Amino acid sequence: MTRLSVNINKVATIRNARGGNNPNVVQVAKDAERFGAQGITIHPRPDERHITTKDVYDLKDVVTTEFNIEGFPDDRFLKILDEVKPDQATLVPDPPHVLTSNAGWDTINRADELKPIIEQIKAMGIRVSIFVEPEIEIIEGAHALGTDRIELYTEMYATGFKQNPEEAIAKYASAAAKAHEYGIGINAGHDLDLDNLNYLVKTIPHIDEVSIGHALICDALYYGLENTIQLYLRALKV
């Protein structure tokens, strides 16, 4: 069964809007795990507009499931990884000023940049996943880089799902099949929600993990966090 990693960035965004420590990011992470989440994802950006560097270290010894840290692999991020040693590092290509991740890595033209970084992180004993778009040549490039996993950037799928699910998922299914052929693990994330999630995992059988934050936290406002996590876990069943 595909694992659910809860991205708690939005919890930190709400806290930061007022200062103080309400909602408490560490407590939410603990509660999410208690309610069934199989991982916690954070993205500590340099401007600390949601998750702060302090949050990362506060969560280090609290998260008991899989700890996934996303980020652009600059020196600051690599230092955090080396000190915290999460289970997984997800590398995203967006620079610090971008509102949210909006493109995948060009694994061909940026191979010389990525390969030594991936090797460095793997040498820390951390599994590496890179954020990619569903193109066969990009998956082939990812294989050449030696990454452990890819994370499929699913915004295009989520947008197209409303009009034509089969068409929206076609490129993702082909890309995932190629990754599986190479022995690369498959994650997915961005704009996944209770409407489009089940179709994704039913159609692509080898997805190891989905990382969901924005939609899940929005749903929690209506359904409560515990019930929402259970709804997402139910959606992941095939």
Side-chain angles (χ1 to χ4, degrees):
M1 180 176 166
T2 304
R3 296 167 66 86
L4 173 66
S5 185
V6 175
N7 186 319
I8 59 173
N9 291 344
K10 284 296 185 296
V11 176
T13 301
I14 297 170
R15 176 200 62 193
N16 294 353
R18 289 290 295 269
N21 198 31
N22 188 24
N24 185 312
V25 169
V26 170
Q27 187 61 50
V28 170
K30 292 166 66 175
D31 288 339
E33 290 183 323
R34 183 163 58 88
F35 298 152
Q38 296 140 325
I40 298 295
T41 292
I42 58 172
H43 187 154
R45 292 179 178 272
D47 63 8
E48 300 196 332
R49 64 178 178 261
H50 38 65
I51 291 293
T52 66
T53 303
K54 182 179 183 300
D55 290 330
V56 181
Y57 290 89
D58 287 347
L59 289 163
K60 176 180 182 293
D61 296 320
V62 171
V63 175
T64 60
T65 58
E66 181 183 276
F67 195 18
N68 174 43
I69 303 182
E70 299 179 341
F72 180 79
D74 55 12
D75 290 342
R76 170 187 169 274
F77 184 74
L78 293 173
K79 180 176 183 290
I80 288 173
L81 294 182
D82 193 32
E83 293 179 351
V84 174
K85 297 291 195 299
D87 301 285
Q88 177 174 270
T90 299
L91 309 185
V92 296
D94 49 295
H97 66 274
V98 173
L99 181 63
T100 187
S101 300
N102 58 12
W105 286 101
D106 182 339
T107 59
I108 300 166
N109 292 313
R110 299 184 73 175
D112 290 344
E113 173 188 356
L114 277 170
K115 191 172 180 61
I117 291 170
I118 290 171
E119 291 173 351
Q120 180 181 351
I121 298 171
K122 289 175 73 170
M124 299 175 191
I126 301 168
R127 184 173 71 234
V128 180
S129 178
I130 59 174
F131 200 58
V132 298
E133 296 179 39
E135 304 290 343
I136 295 297
E137 61 270 23
I138 294 297
I139 305 303
E140 291 171 342
H143 173 58
L145 291 172
T147 188
D148 300 300
R149 290 191 185 182
I150 56 167
E151 179 173 336
L152 293 171
Y153 169 44
T154 49
E155 180 182 14
M156 291 180 293
Y157 162 70
T159 301
F161 177 83
K162 300 168 186 176
Q163 286 74 43
N164 188 326
E166 290 184 4
E167 182 178 310
I169 206 168
K171 292 179 73 173
Y172 289 90
S174 297
K178 177 60 70 174
H180 184 66
E181 176 186 326
Y182 283 135
I184 301 172
I186 303 163
N187 298 341
H190 207 90
D191 289 349
L192 297 176
D193 60 25
L194 289 172
D195 292 327
N196 58 43
L197 183 58
N198 185 255
Y199 185 79
L200 178 79
V201 295
K202 277 186 174 178
T203 309
I204 302 177
H206 304 298
I207 297 177
D208 294 293
E209 171 188 300
V210 291
S211 174
I212 305 178
H214 183 81
L216 189 149
I217 298 303
C218 289
D219 288 334
L221 296 175
Y222 292 94
Y223 306 130
L225 184 61
E226 181 174 9
N227 190 41
T228 296
I229 288 173
Q230 290 301 310
L231 290 171
Y232 276 84
L233 291 171
R234 191 179 307 163
L236 288 170
K237 291 182 179 179
V238 295

mmCIF file of all heavy atoms in Angstrom, residues 132-140 150-154 169-188 200-201 203-208:
data_model
loop_
_atom_site.group_PDB
_atom_site.id
_atom_site.type_symbol
_atom_site.label_atom_id
_atom_site.label_comp_id
_atom_site.label_asym_id
_atom_site.label_seq_id
_atom_site.Cartn_x
_atom_site.Cartn_y
_atom_site.Cartn_z
ATOM 1 N N VAL A 132 10.513 15.483 -10.146
ATOM 2 C CA VAL A 132 10.605 15.457 -11.606
ATOM 3 C C VAL A 132 9.229 15.517 -12.256
ATOM 4 O O VAL A 132 8.216 15.179 -11.640
ATOM 5 C CB VAL A 132 11.331 14.189 -12.107
ATOM 6 C CG1 VAL A 132 12.770 14.141 -11.605
ATOM 7 C CG2 VAL A 132 10.577 12.921 -11.716
ATOM 8 N N GLU A 133 9.233 15.917 -13.511
ATOM 9 C CA GLU A 133 8.031 15.891 -14.327
ATOM 10 C C GLU A 133 7.966 14.568 -15.093
ATOM 11 O O GLU A 133 8.991 13.905 -15.279
ATOM 12 C CB GLU A 133 8.022 17.109 -15.245
ATOM 13 C CG GLU A 133 7.936 18.394 -14.435
ATOM 14 C CD GLU A 133 7.947 19.659 -15.289
ATOM 15 O OE1 GLU A 133 7.323 19.660 -16.361
ATOM 16 O OE2 GLU A 133 8.587 20.634 -14.857
ATOM 17 N N PRO A 134 6.781 14.178 -15.542
ATOM 18 C CA PRO A 134 6.608 12.830 -16.104
ATOM 19 C C PRO A 134 7.047 12.719 -17.572
ATOM 20 O O PRO A 134 6.231 12.530 -18.477
ATOM 21 C CB PRO A 134 5.101 12.596 -15.958
ATOM 22 C CG PRO A 134 4.507 13.964 -16.107
ATOM 23 C CD PRO A 134 5.496 14.890 -15.429
ATOM 24 N N GLU A 135 8.349 12.823 -17.800
ATOM 25 C CA GLU A 135 8.907 12.692 -19.141
ATOM 26 C C GLU A 135 9.901 11.522 -19.131
ATOM 27 O O GLU A 135 10.752 11.445 -18.239
ATOM 28 C CB GLU A 135 9.615 13.974 -19.566
ATOM 29 C CG GLU A 135 8.751 15.230 -19.508
ATOM 30 C CD GLU A 135 7.669 15.246 -20.581
ATOM 31 O OE1 GLU A 135 7.793 14.457 -21.545
ATOM 32 O OE2 GLU A 135 6.708 16.028 -20.456
ATOM 33 N N ILE A 136 9.813 10.671 -20.122
ATOM 34 C CA ILE A 136 10.654 9.481 -20.163
ATOM 35 C C ILE A 136 12.134 9.845 -20.119
ATOM 36 O O ILE A 136 12.925 9.231 -19.382
ATOM 37 C CB ILE A 136 10.347 8.630 -21.406
ATOM 38 C CG1 ILE A 136 8.915 8.067 -21.340
ATOM 39 C CG2 ILE A 136 11.360 7.484 -21.542
ATOM 40 C CD1 ILE A 136 8.661 7.130 -20.180
ATOM 41 N N GLU A 137 12.532 10.867 -20.890
ATOM 42 C CA GLU A 137 13.950 11.226 -20.911
ATOM 43 C C GLU A 137 14.414 11.760 -19.553
ATOM 44 O O GLU A 137 15.570 11.590 -19.161
ATOM 45 C CB GLU A 137 14.240 12.249 -22.012
ATOM 46 C CG GLU A 137 13.522 13.556 -21.886
ATOM 47 C CD GLU A 137 12.167 13.580 -22.596
ATOM 48 O OE1 GLU A 137 11.581 12.489 -22.807
ATOM 49 O OE2 GLU A 137 11.709 14.688 -22.945
ATOM 50 N N ILE A 138 13.507 12.399 -18.817
ATOM 51 C CA ILE A 138 13.842 12.882 -17.477
ATOM 52 C C ILE A 138 14.047 11.703 -16.526
ATOM 53 O O ILE A 138 14.950 11.718 -15.676
ATOM 54 C CB ILE A 138 12.742 13.823 -16.956
ATOM 55 C CG1 ILE A 138 12.680 15.103 -17.808
ATOM 56 C CG2 ILE A 138 12.957 14.155 -15.485
ATOM 57 C CD1 ILE A 138 13.937 15.948 -17.746
ATOM 58 N N ILE A 139 13.223 10.671 -16.670
ATOM 59 C CA ILE A 139 13.373 9.470 -15.844
ATOM 60 C C ILE A 139 14.683 8.762 -16.189
ATOM 61 O O ILE A 139 15.404 8.291 -15.301
ATOM 62 C CB ILE A 139 12.185 8.512 -16.047
ATOM 63 C CG1 ILE A 139 10.848 9.234 -15.766
ATOM 64 C CG2 ILE A 139 12.338 7.278 -15.146
ATOM 65 C CD1 ILE A 139 10.739 9.838 -14.401
ATOM 66 N N GLU A 140 15.010 8.707 -17.464
ATOM 67 C CA GLU A 140 16.282 8.106 -17.869
ATOM 68 C C GLU A 140 17.460 8.886 -17.276
ATOM 69 O O GLU A 140 18.454 8.292 -16.827
ATOM 70 C CB GLU A 140 16.367 8.074 -19.396
ATOM 71 C CG GLU A 140 15.380 7.097 -20.030
ATOM 72 C CD GLU A 140 15.299 7.204 -21.540
ATOM 73 O OE1 GLU A 140 15.738 8.233 -22.090
ATOM 74 O OE2 GLU A 140 14.784 6.253 -22.164
ATOM 75 N N ILE A 150 12.268 8.973 -7.322
ATOM 76 C CA ILE A 150 11.790 10.211 -7.924
ATOM 77 C C ILE A 150 10.497 10.583 -7.203
ATOM 78 O O ILE A 150 9.814 9.725 -6.640
ATOM 79 C CB ILE A 150 11.513 10.064 -9.425
ATOM 80 C CG1 ILE A 150 10.513 8.909 -9.674
ATOM 81 C CG2 ILE A 150 12.813 9.866 -10.199
ATOM 82 C CD1 ILE A 150 9.934 8.875 -11.057
ATOM 83 N N GLU A 151 10.180 11.875 -7.193
ATOM 84 C CA GLU A 151 8.843 12.307 -6.788
ATOM 85 C C GLU A 151 8.186 12.940 -8.002
ATOM 86 O O GLU A 151 8.646 13.968 -8.518
ATOM 87 C CB GLU A 151 8.860 13.311 -5.639
ATOM 88 C CG GLU A 151 7.445 13.748 -5.263
ATOM 89 C CD GLU A 151 7.363 14.625 -4.019
ATOM 90 O OE1 GLU A 151 8.269 14.551 -3.171
ATOM 91 O OE2 GLU A 151 6.375 15.379 -3.917
ATOM 92 N N LEU A 152 7.132 12.316 -8.484
ATOM 93 C CA LEU A 152 6.407 12.845 -9.633
ATOM 94 C C LEU A 152 5.657 14.108 -9.236
ATOM 95 O O LEU A 152 4.878 14.102 -8.275
ATOM 96 C CB LEU A 152 5.432 11.795 -10.172
ATOM 97 C CG LEU A 152 6.064 10.553 -10.805
ATOM 98 C CD1 LEU A 152 4.989 9.503 -11.079
ATOM 99 C CD2 LEU A 152 6.799 10.913 -12.090
ATOM 100 N N TYR A 153 5.903 15.178 -9.975
ATOM 101 C CA TYR A 153 5.246 16.472 -9.749
ATOM 102 C C TYR A 153 3.856 16.402 -10.371
ATOM 103 O O TYR A 153 3.694 16.419 -11.592
ATOM 104 C CB TYR A 153 6.107 17.566 -10.378
ATOM 105 C CG TYR A 153 5.492 18.932 -10.473
ATOM 106 C CD1 TYR A 153 4.785 19.490 -9.423
ATOM 107 C CD2 TYR A 153 5.650 19.693 -11.632
ATOM 108 C CE1 TYR A 153 4.244 20.747 -9.524
ATOM 109 C CE2 TYR A 153 5.123 20.956 -11.739
ATOM 110 C CZ TYR A 153 4.408 21.485 -10.684
ATOM 111 O OH TYR A 153 3.874 22.743 -10.795
ATOM 112 N N THR A 154 2.830 16.308 -9.534
ATOM 113 C CA THR A 154 1.504 15.919 -9.998
ATOM 114 C C THR A 154 0.526 17.076 -10.242
ATOM 115 O O THR A 154 -0.670 16.847 -10.399
ATOM 116 C CB THR A 154 0.863 14.926 -8.999
ATOM 117 O OG1 THR A 154 0.982 15.444 -7.664
ATOM 118 C CG2 THR A 154 1.527 13.575 -9.088
ATOM 119 N N ILE A 169 -3.511 11.193 -16.624
ATOM 120 C CA ILE A 169 -2.573 10.287 -15.948
ATOM 121 C C ILE A 169 -1.651 9.545 -16.907
ATOM 122 O O ILE A 169 -0.683 8.905 -16.469
ATOM 123 C CB ILE A 169 -3.354 9.273 -15.080
ATOM 124 C CG1 ILE A 169 -2.470 8.793 -13.919
ATOM 125 C CG2 ILE A 169 -3.845 8.093 -15.918
ATOM 126 C CD1 ILE A 169 -3.223 8.040 -12.862
ATOM 127 N N ALA A 170 -1.904 9.632 -18.206
ATOM 128 C CA ALA A 170 -1.183 8.794 -19.173
ATOM 129 C C ALA A 170 0.336 8.961 -19.079
ATOM 130 O O ALA A 170 1.082 7.974 -19.003
ATOM 131 C CB ALA A 170 -1.673 9.097 -20.589
ATOM 132 N N LYS A 171 0.814 10.198 -19.086
ATOM 133 C CA LYS A 171 2.266 10.425 -19.045
ATOM 134 C C LYS A 171 2.854 9.988 -17.706
ATOM 135 O O LYS A 171 3.996 9.506 -17.646
ATOM 136 C CB LYS A 171 2.580 11.895 -19.305
ATOM 137 C CG LYS A 171 2.276 12.351 -20.719
ATOM 138 C CD LYS A 171 2.580 13.809 -20.924
ATOM 139 C CE LYS A 171 4.071 14.063 -20.990
ATOM 140 N NZ LYS A 171 4.396 15.458 -21.350
ATOM 141 N N TYR A 172 2.083 10.140 -16.650
ATOM 142 C CA TYR A 172 2.550 9.719 -15.330
ATOM 143 C C TYR A 172 2.702 8.197 -15.262
ATOM 144 O O TYR A 172 3.671 7.690 -14.685
ATOM 145 C CB TYR A 172 1.592 10.212 -14.251
ATOM 146 C CG TYR A 172 1.665 11.697 -14.045
ATOM 147 C CD1 TYR A 172 0.857 12.563 -14.770
ATOM 148 C CD2 TYR A 172 2.564 12.258 -13.137
ATOM 149 C CE1 TYR A 172 0.935 13.945 -14.598
ATOM 150 C CE2 TYR A 172 2.652 13.626 -12.954
ATOM 151 C CZ TYR A 172 1.834 14.462 -13.692
ATOM 152 O OH TYR A 172 1.919 15.825 -13.519
ATOM 153 N N ALA A 173 1.750 7.499 -15.854
ATOM 154 C CA ALA A 173 1.823 6.040 -15.851
ATOM 155 C C ALA A 173 3.042 5.554 -16.632
ATOM 156 O O ALA A 173 3.745 4.630 -16.200
ATOM 157 C CB ALA A 173 0.539 5.453 -16.433
ATOM 158 N N SER A 174 3.312 6.191 -17.771
ATOM 159 C CA SER A 174 4.469 5.794 -18.581
ATOM 160 C C SER A 174 5.771 6.098 -17.850
ATOM 161 O O SER A 174 6.703 5.281 -17.841
ATOM 162 C CB SER A 174 4.444 6.530 -19.927
ATOM 163 O OG SER A 174 3.304 6.174 -20.670
ATOM 164 N N ALA A 175 5.847 7.280 -17.243
ATOM 165 C CA ALA A 175 7.057 7.665 -16.510
ATOM 166 C C ALA A 175 7.291 6.737 -15.322
ATOM 167 O O ALA A 175 8.424 6.314 -15.052
ATOM 168 C CB ALA A 175 6.948 9.112 -16.042
ATOM 169 N N ALA A 176 6.220 6.412 -14.604
ATOM 170 C CA ALA A 176 6.338 5.534 -13.451
ATOM 171 C C ALA A 176 6.766 4.130 -13.873
ATOM 172 O O ALA A 176 7.576 3.486 -13.187
ATOM 173 C CB ALA A 176 5.021 5.479 -12.689
ATOM 174 N N ALA A 177 6.245 3.667 -14.990
ATOM 175 C CA ALA A 177 6.630 2.338 -15.487
ATOM 176 C C ALA A 177 8.116 2.302 -15.824
ATOM 177 O O ALA A 177 8.812 1.315 -15.535
ATOM 178 C CB ALA A 177 5.794 1.976 -16.703
ATOM 179 N N LYS A 178 8.616 3.372 -16.422
ATOM 180 C CA LYS A 178 10.035 3.444 -16.756
ATOM 181 C C LYS A 178 10.879 3.478 -15.479
ATOM 182 O O LYS A 178 11.909 2.796 -15.385
ATOM 183 C CB LYS A 178 10.311 4.669 -17.617
ATOM 184 C CG LYS A 178 11.770 4.886 -17.979
ATOM 185 C CD LYS A 178 12.351 3.713 -18.758
ATOM 186 C CE LYS A 178 11.787 3.603 -20.152
ATOM 187 N NZ LYS A 178 12.472 2.529 -20.939
ATOM 188 N N ALA A 179 10.463 4.269 -14.496
ATOM 189 C CA ALA A 179 11.193 4.326 -13.227
ATOM 190 C C ALA A 179 11.219 2.952 -12.556
ATOM 191 O O ALA A 179 12.260 2.512 -12.052
ATOM 192 C CB ALA A 179 10.565 5.360 -12.300
ATOM 193 N N HIS A 180 10.085 2.271 -12.548
ATOM 194 C CA HIS A 180 10.007 0.944 -11.941
ATOM 195 C C HIS A 180 10.906 -0.036 -12.678
ATOM 196 O O HIS A 180 11.575 -0.883 -12.053
ATOM 197 C CB HIS A 180 8.559 0.453 -11.949
ATOM 198 C CG HIS A 180 8.361 -0.851 -11.263
ATOM 199 N ND1 HIS A 180 8.536 -1.033 -9.912
ATOM 200 C CD2 HIS A 180 8.016 -2.075 -11.755
ATOM 201 C CE1 HIS A 180 8.288 -2.282 -9.585
ATOM 202 N NE2 HIS A 180 7.990 -2.936 -10.691
ATOM 203 N N GLU A 181 10.957 0.092 -13.981
ATOM 204 C CA GLU A 181 11.840 -0.757 -14.798
ATOM 205 C C GLU A 181 13.303 -0.579 -14.380
ATOM 206 O O GLU A 181 14.076 -1.539 -14.344
ATOM 207 C CB GLU A 181 11.660 -0.386 -16.273
ATOM 208 C CG GLU A 181 12.568 -1.108 -17.249
ATOM 209 C CD GLU A 181 12.420 -0.565 -18.663
ATOM 210 O OE1 GLU A 181 11.291 -0.162 -19.033
ATOM 211 O OE2 GLU A 181 13.434 -0.521 -19.381
ATOM 212 N N TYR A 182 13.677 0.643 -14.046
ATOM 213 C CA TYR A 182 15.043 0.938 -13.628
ATOM 214 C C TYR A 182 15.301 0.618 -12.150
ATOM 215 O O TYR A 182 16.425 0.740 -11.669
ATOM 216 C CB TYR A 182 15.352 2.420 -13.846
ATOM 217 C CG TYR A 182 15.642 2.803 -15.277
ATOM 218 C CD1 TYR A 182 15.067 3.939 -15.835
ATOM 219 C CD2 TYR A 182 16.517 2.059 -16.066
ATOM 220 C CE1 TYR A 182 15.352 4.321 -17.136
ATOM 221 C CE2 TYR A 182 16.799 2.431 -17.370
ATOM 222 C CZ TYR A 182 16.216 3.558 -17.904
ATOM 223 O OH TYR A 182 16.500 3.932 -19.190
ATOM 224 N N GLY A 183 14.253 0.271 -11.419
ATOM 225 C CA GLY A 183 14.417 -0.001 -10.002
ATOM 226 C C GLY A 183 14.429 1.237 -9.135
ATOM 227 O O GLY A 183 14.888 1.204 -7.993
ATOM 228 N N ILE A 184 13.909 2.341 -9.671
ATOM 229 C CA ILE A 184 13.823 3.597 -8.923
ATOM 230 C C ILE A 184 12.499 3.628 -8.163
ATOM 231 O O ILE A 184 11.444 3.358 -8.738
ATOM 232 C CB ILE A 184 13.907 4.808 -9.869
ATOM 233 C CG1 ILE A 184 15.218 4.799 -10.647
ATOM 234 C CG2 ILE A 184 13.765 6.110 -9.083
ATOM 235 C CD1 ILE A 184 15.280 5.861 -11.741
ATOM 236 N N GLY A 185 12.540 3.963 -6.890
ATOM 237 C CA GLY A 185 11.310 4.112 -6.127
ATOM 238 C C GLY A 185 10.512 5.312 -6.618
ATOM 239 O O GLY A 185 11.069 6.262 -7.175
ATOM 240 N N ILE A 186 9.208 5.278 -6.385
ATOM 241 C CA ILE A 186 8.320 6.309 -6.932
ATOM 242 C C ILE A 186 7.516 6.955 -5.818
ATOM 243 O O ILE A 186 6.749 6.286 -5.103
ATOM 244 C CB ILE A 186 7.357 5.717 -7.978
ATOM 245 C CG1 ILE A 186 8.147 5.032 -9.103
ATOM 246 C CG2 ILE A 186 6.438 6.806 -8.548
ATOM 247 C CD1 ILE A 186 7.311 4.087 -9.930
ATOM 248 N N ASN A 187 7.689 8.255 -5.663
ATOM 249 C CA ASN A 187 6.850 9.076 -4.802
ATOM 250 C C ASN A 187 6.023 10.004 -5.686
ATOM 251 O O ASN A 187 6.287 10.141 -6.885
ATOM 252 C CB ASN A 187 7.701 9.897 -3.832
ATOM 253 C CG ASN A 187 8.528 9.045 -2.896
ATOM 254 O OD1 ASN A 187 8.239 7.863 -2.705
ATOM 255 N ND2 ASN A 187 9.555 9.620 -2.311
ATOM 256 N N ALA A 188 5.049 10.665 -5.097
ATOM 257 C CA ALA A 188 4.235 11.614 -5.862
ATOM 258 C C ALA A 188 3.737 12.708 -4.932
ATOM 259 O O ALA A 188 3.494 12.463 -3.746
ATOM 260 C CB ALA A 188 3.047 10.906 -6.521
ATOM 261 N N LEU A 200 -5.154 7.861 -8.896
ATOM 262 C CA LEU A 200 -3.711 7.858 -9.121
ATOM 263 C C LEU A 200 -3.095 6.531 -8.685
ATOM 264 O O LEU A 200 -2.357 5.894 -9.451
ATOM 265 C CB LEU A 200 -3.058 9.007 -8.359
ATOM 266 C CG LEU A 200 -1.531 9.103 -8.468
ATOM 267 C CD1 LEU A 200 -1.128 9.726 -9.798
ATOM 268 C CD2 LEU A 200 -0.947 9.908 -7.307
ATOM 269 N N VAL A 201 -3.375 6.110 -7.461
ATOM 270 C CA VAL A 201 -2.711 4.906 -6.952
ATOM 271 C C VAL A 201 -3.315 3.627 -7.542
ATOM 272 O O VAL A 201 -2.626 2.599 -7.596
ATOM 273 C CB VAL A 201 -2.734 4.864 -5.399
ATOM 274 C CG1 VAL A 201 -1.908 6.012 -4.840
ATOM 275 C CG2 VAL A 201 -4.139 4.881 -4.844
ATOM 276 N N THR A 203 -4.220 3.454 -10.709
ATOM 277 C CA THR A 203 -3.723 3.387 -12.080
ATOM 278 C C THR A 203 -2.224 3.167 -12.130
ATOM 279 O O THR A 203 -1.714 2.537 -13.059
ATOM 280 C CB THR A 203 -4.079 4.688 -12.830
ATOM 281 O OG1 THR A 203 -5.483 4.956 -12.671
ATOM 282 C CG2 THR A 203 -3.781 4.577 -14.309
ATOM 283 N N ILE A 204 -1.504 3.675 -11.144
ATOM 284 C CA ILE A 204 -0.051 3.500 -11.083
ATOM 285 C C ILE A 204 0.257 2.628 -9.863
ATOM 286 O O ILE A 204 0.246 3.104 -8.725
ATOM 287 C CB ILE A 204 0.659 4.856 -10.980
ATOM 288 C CG1 ILE A 204 0.278 5.742 -12.173
ATOM 289 C CG2 ILE A 204 2.170 4.667 -10.916
ATOM 290 C CD1 ILE A 204 0.870 7.133 -12.124
ATOM 291 N N PRO A 205 0.533 1.356 -10.076
ATOM 292 C CA PRO A 205 0.589 0.414 -8.951
ATOM 293 C C PRO A 205 1.850 0.461 -8.101
ATOM 294 O O PRO A 205 1.896 -0.176 -7.056
ATOM 295 C CB PRO A 205 0.486 -0.947 -9.653
ATOM 296 C CG PRO A 205 1.064 -0.713 -11.018
ATOM 297 C CD PRO A 205 0.673 0.687 -11.389
ATOM 298 N N HIS A 206 2.874 1.184 -8.514
ATOM 299 C CA HIS A 206 4.155 1.081 -7.816
ATOM 300 C C HIS A 206 4.524 2.344 -7.032
ATOM 301 O O HIS A 206 5.703 2.563 -6.740
ATOM 302 C CB HIS A 206 5.264 0.752 -8.808
ATOM 303 C CG HIS A 206 5.015 -0.490 -9.600
ATOM 304 N ND1 HIS A 206 4.901 -1.738 -9.006
ATOM 305 C CD2 HIS A 206 4.813 -0.689 -10.925
ATOM 306 C CE1 HIS A 206 4.664 -2.648 -9.940
ATOM 307 N NE2 HIS A 206 4.608 -2.037 -11.098
ATOM 308 N N ILE A 207 3.550 3.164 -6.678
ATOM 309 C CA ILE A 207 3.859 4.378 -5.927
ATOM 310 C C ILE A 207 4.144 4.019 -4.469
ATOM 311 O O ILE A 207 3.315 3.441 -3.780
ATOM 312 C CB ILE A 207 2.709 5.404 -6.023
ATOM 313 C CG1 ILE A 207 2.528 5.855 -7.474
ATOM 314 C CG2 ILE A 207 2.987 6.610 -5.123
ATOM 315 C CD1 ILE A 207 1.384 6.813 -7.682
ATOM 316 N N ASP A 208 5.336 4.355 -4.022
ATOM 317 C CA ASP A 208 5.738 4.043 -2.651
ATOM 318 C C ASP A 208 5.111 4.995 -1.645
ATOM 319 O O ASP A 208 4.755 4.585 -0.544
ATOM 320 C CB ASP A 208 7.269 4.140 -2.518
ATOM 321 C CG ASP A 208 7.995 3.088 -3.336
ATOM 322 O OD1 ASP A 208 7.862 1.903 -2.999
ATOM 323 O OD2 ASP A 208 8.670 3.451 -4.308
#
